[in-house]
């Protein structure tokens, strides 16, 4: 059988986010986040699911870390809950919140698992949303206050820092309302994104001032590449261009790596009266040199303007999906090459999220026997390996997710975990994919004849 080996010291990981796994939403002084507020509005979350308890990792983190250790996982990507640390978003610090993260990170380190932490994974303190959230330029000041607390407390305990996870979620939450805070105002959404990107740049500057010994900082941007179903057909080309440059990854990668907004985006914003307020120096701030780029990748999509996007079934809402409009794993190769060629990204890349969801109506035994997930992940690793062979500097790979968790508007229905979570009992049961991934890590690669 053919062996596809990964570089020495390749960082095999798993990822989660605070709002999706921690639970303990109202314990030990934590303040509410926009996702707590949003999820309590009837009709916003599939089946009315609530993140109040989720996987209860707040109490069960030692158990989860033990499982990771048993699997040989080398790095855990998690996020901080801003409102657990600053219940009001700014001002008074909740020591119990800091204490939780100190215990959790220490436990990771004691088990030889590299902490990879995201400062912001979508859960703004509700108290700040009331003041306008990301649309209020004061967010820069608020975010820096929060970031400084994180860096002063955990700076060198965390090896890999990301300022933001998938900023597009902030756009979605303000432009079309599928995510918290649930607004539908594209102009405001564009201002939010602009301010967010300045927050990112200012945080990188702050990070440099702290002169931490070994920690690195970057940002995580998801890429869903769109390509026209019929290359050359005007409608399809336009559709893909819009999805890539105006309402997709171009919004972020251009200002981060090339400087400023792309011409296409500027033109679109001007013509549609969507221009954000831009202050002098903002574009320089946004493109601070980062130490790494975190890519979240799930699938690519094919745009056929004559067969408009089927209204996705409501059950499918909430993030990532697999359907016929997609082209799958080979799209990863396209993306990794595009990052290098188009955006000139020359810093190390981590694949900070990749995963496969199955849906909640199956019985437990079926969910545990998740060969479909293994097949998907294995093929991803094949294309990742090929990209690395081509000279793309990818240093690590994180499966989304360690365990089934609160999938935003998709509630608990969508299951991405290597472990099955029983939400009544909070038990975690390894799926077949957990054993498979442990083997991948042990062998530092995959062995298969499927892709020759
Ligand atoms: C990504 C999110 C992550 C999770 C996965 C399935 O877009 O970053 O929190 O929901 O999708």
């Amino acid at each position: 059988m053919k062996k596809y080996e990964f570089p020495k010291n390749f960082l095999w990981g798993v990822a989660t986010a605070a709002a999706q796994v921690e639970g303990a939403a109202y314990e030990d002084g934590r303040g509410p986040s926009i996702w707590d507020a949003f999820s309590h509005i009837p009709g916003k979350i599939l089946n009315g699911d609530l993140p109040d308890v989720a996987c209860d990792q707040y109490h069960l983190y030692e158990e989860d870390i033990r499982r990771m250790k048993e699997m040989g996982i080398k790095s855990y990507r998690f996020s901080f809950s801003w409102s657990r640390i600053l219940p009001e978003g700014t001002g008074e610090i909740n020591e119990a919140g800091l204490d939780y993260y100190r215990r959790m990170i220490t436990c990771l380190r004691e088990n030889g698992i590299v902490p990879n932490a995201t400062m912001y994974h979508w859960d703004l303190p509700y108290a700040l949303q009331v003041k306008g959230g990301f649309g209020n330029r004061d967010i820069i000041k608020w975010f820096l206050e929060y970031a400084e607390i994180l860096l002063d407390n955990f700076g060198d305990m965390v090896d890999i820092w990301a300022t933001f996870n998938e900023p597009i979620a902030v756009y979605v939450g303000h432009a079309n309302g599928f995510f918290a805070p649930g607004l539908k105002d594209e102009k405001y959404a564009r201002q939010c994104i602009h301010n967010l990107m300045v927050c990112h740049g200012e945080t990188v500057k702050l990070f440099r001032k702290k002169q931490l010994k070994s920690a690195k900082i970057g940002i995580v941007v998801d890429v869903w590449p769109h390509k026209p179903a019929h290359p050359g057909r005007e409608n399809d080309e336009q559709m893909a261009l819009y999805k890539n440059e105006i309402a997709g990854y171009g919004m972020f990668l251009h200002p981060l790596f090339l400087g400023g907004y792309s011409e296409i985006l500027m033109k679109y914003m001007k013509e549609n009266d969507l221009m954000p307020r831009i202050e002098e120096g903002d574009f320089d701030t946004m493109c601070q040199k980062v130490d790494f780029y975190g890519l979240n990748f799930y699938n690519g999509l094919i745009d056929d303007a004559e067969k408009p996007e089927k209204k996705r079934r409501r059950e499918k809402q909430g993030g990532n999906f697999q359907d016929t409009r997609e082209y799958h794993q080979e799209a990863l190769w396209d993306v990794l090459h595009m990052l290098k060629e188009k955006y000139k990204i020359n810093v190390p890349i981590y694949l900070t999220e990749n995963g496969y969801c199955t849906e909640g109506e199956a019985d437990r035994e079926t969910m545990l026997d998740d060969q479909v997930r293994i097949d998907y992940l294995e093929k991803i690793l094949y294309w990742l390996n090929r990209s690395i062979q081509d000279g793309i500097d990818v240093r690590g790979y994180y499966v989304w997710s360690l365990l089934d968790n609160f999938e935003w508007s998709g509630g608990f229905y969508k299951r991405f975990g290597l472990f099955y979570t029983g939400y009544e009992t909070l038990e975690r049961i390894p799926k077949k994919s957990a054993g498979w991934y442990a083997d991948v890590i042990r062998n530092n690669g995959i062995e298969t004849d499927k892709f020759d």
Side-chain angles (χ1 to χ4, degrees):
M1 280 216 281
K2 191 142 183 223
K3 187 152 190 212
Y4 300 92
E5 252 194 78
F6 283 72
K8 218 170 139 230
N9 299 327
F10 193 74
L11 216 49
W12 296 103
V14 285
T16 65
Q20 297 178 273
V21 297
E22 279 182 8
Y26 306 101
E27 274 182 60
D28 294 343
R30 182 181 177 280
S33 79
I34 52 173
W35 272 94
D36 295 311
F38 184 72
S39 60
H40 281 79
I41 302 172
K44 295 295 182 196
I45 311 290
L46 188 63
N47 301 327
D49 289 337
L50 295 172
D52 300 12
V53 177
C55 309
D56 202 23
Q57 191 171 75
Y58 184 73
H59 295 111
L60 300 176
Y61 70 92
E62 284 171 308
E63 187 187 318
D64 286 342
I65 293 173
R66 178 175 53 74
R67 289 177 195 285
M68 286 188 245
K69 164 105 174 162
E70 281 166 7
M71 283 175 66
I73 302 269
K74 302 205 182 315
S75 181
Y76 181 45
R77 176 169 179 257
F78 62 94
S79 75
F80 290 100
S81 154
W82 185 341
S83 61
R84 194 180 287 294
I85 294 176
L86 289 160
E88 293 292 317
T90 60
E92 203 167 328
I93 296 179
N94 177 29
E95 289 299 331
L98 287 180
D99 182 57
Y100 165 64
Y101 292 110
R102 198 167 294 116
R103 283 181 284 122
M104 203 264 281
I105 298 168
T106 304
C107 183
L108 286 171
R109 299 196 75 85
E110 284 170 356
N111 284 282
I113 299 172
V114 173
N116 174 336
T118 301
M119 293 177 171
Y120 187 81
H121 197 127
W122 308 359
D123 46 354
L124 190 76
Y126 182 70
L128 296 182
Q129 189 64 44
V130 173
K131 297 181 189 163
F134 277 95
N136 180 341
R137 202 168 160 107
D138 283 348
I139 190 73
I140 301 165
K141 193 175 69 194
W142 302 332
F143 194 81
L144 283 175
E145 178 182 335
Y146 166 57
E148 184 148 36
I149 294 168
L150 295 183
L151 295 175
D152 288 346
N153 281 277
F154 309 114
D156 267 321
M157 291 173 78
V158 168
D159 303 65
I160 304 173
W161 286 93
T163 52
F164 287 91
N165 174 73
E166 299 193 5
I168 193 132
V170 174
Y171 174 81
V172 171
H174 290 84
N176 53 33
F178 296 144
F179 282 167
L183 304 180
K184 291 187 182 163
D185 179 342
E186 186 175 352
K187 184 159 186 167
Y188 200 67
R190 299 268 167 205
Q191 187 67 58
C192 289
I193 290 303
H194 183 81
N195 296 346
L196 179 153
M197 298 291 281
V198 179
C199 289
H200 158 77
E202 291 293 354
T203 306
V204 175
K205 288 191 201 163
L206 174 73
F207 183 89
R208 300 291 177 224
K209 278 200 208 125
K210 297 283 168 189
Q211 301 204 317
L212 301 169
K213 283 197 289 296
S214 54
K216 300 196 176 347
I217 194 157
I219 184 168
V220 172
V221 177
D222 51 322
V223 178
W224 294 72
H226 284 254
K227 65 180 187 185
H230 308 92
R233 192 166 81 181
E234 177 69 12
N235 291 350
D236 293 359
E237 296 275 358
Q238 283 303 328
M239 192 170 165
L241 193 72
Y242 173 84
K243 296 268 172 79
N244 289 332
E245 304 284 341
I246 294 171
Y249 58 81
M251 283 157 81
F252 311 103
L253 295 182
H254 203 285
L256 282 168
F257 295 104
L258 300 177
Y261 296 128
S262 67
E263 267 177 48
I264 303 170
L265 180 55
M266 282 299 252
K267 184 164 175 279
Y268 169 83
M269 292 195 297
K270 274 189 201 136
E271 286 176 358
N272 294 284
D273 185 26
L274 296 168
M275 267 312 252
R277 210 185 75 209
I278 302 173
E279 291 195 6
E280 214 188 315
D282 282 357
F283 288 145
D284 288 341
T285 302
M286 290 178 188
C287 68
Q288 296 303 300
K289 173 117 173 104
V290 286
D291 299 319
F292 72 90
Y293 163 60
L295 168 67
N296 285 359
F297 174 85
Y298 288 85
N299 283 315
L301 292 115
I302 295 177
D303 294 324
D304 187 333
E306 267 149 45
K307 282 194 222 135
E309 192 166 325
K310 261 198 301 188
K311 274 242 168 293
R312 271 192 277 146
R313 282 189 299 131
R314 186 165 161 65
E315 303 88 80
K316 291 214 171 209
Q317 76 178 36
N320 304 308
F321 42 93
Q322 275 85 31
D323 72 19
T324 49
R325 290 174 300 115
E326 303 185 0
Y327 73 114
H328 294 271
Q329 295 89 336
E330 65 273 29
L332 174 61
W333 189 93
D334 293 349
V335 169
L336 287 167
H337 284 74
M338 174 190 76
L339 295 174
K340 192 168 173 181
E341 283 149 27
K342 178 166 175 187
Y343 292 104
K344 314 287 175 219
I345 295 181
N346 59 4
V347 291
I349 296 174
Y350 291 91
L351 196 38
T352 34
E353 274 182 36
N354 170 250
Y356 186 91
C357 80
T358 55
E359 297 187 3
E361 74 256 348
D363 61 45
R364 200 173 83 174
E365 289 324 302
T366 313
M367 287 193 230
L368 293 179
D369 187 12
D370 60 343
Q371 188 60 41
V372 283
R373 176 170 288 106
I374 298 176
D375 292 344
Y376 170 86
L377 298 177
E378 185 177 60
K379 200 162 169 199
I380 281 282
L381 291 181
Y382 165 76
W383 284 101
L384 177 58
N385 190 274
R386 267 185 71 160
S387 309
I388 295 175
Q389 301 305 328
D390 292 345
I392 306 220
D393 186 9
V394 183
R395 304 271 175 103
Y397 170 82
Y398 293 75
V399 173
W400 184 275
S401 176
L402 170 67
L403 71 178
D404 296 336
N405 58 48
F406 180 73
E407 181 46 32
W408 310 112
S409 324
F412 297 117
Y413 182 78
K414 298 183 111 197
R415 291 175 175 264
F416 278 90
L418 297 175
F419 283 81
Y420 167 90
T421 305
Y423 292 107
E424 300 288 314
T425 55
L426 295 174
E427 67 194 327
R428 286 89 157 111
I429 305 173
K431 300 182 190 171
K432 190 171 172 193
S433 56
W436 169 84
Y437 193 45
D439 286 343
V440 169
I441 299 173
R442 199 171 318 108
N443 298 326
N444 197 33
I446 51 170
E447 227 175 305
T448 174
D449 282 332
K450 279 189 215 155
F451 310 118
D452 274 342

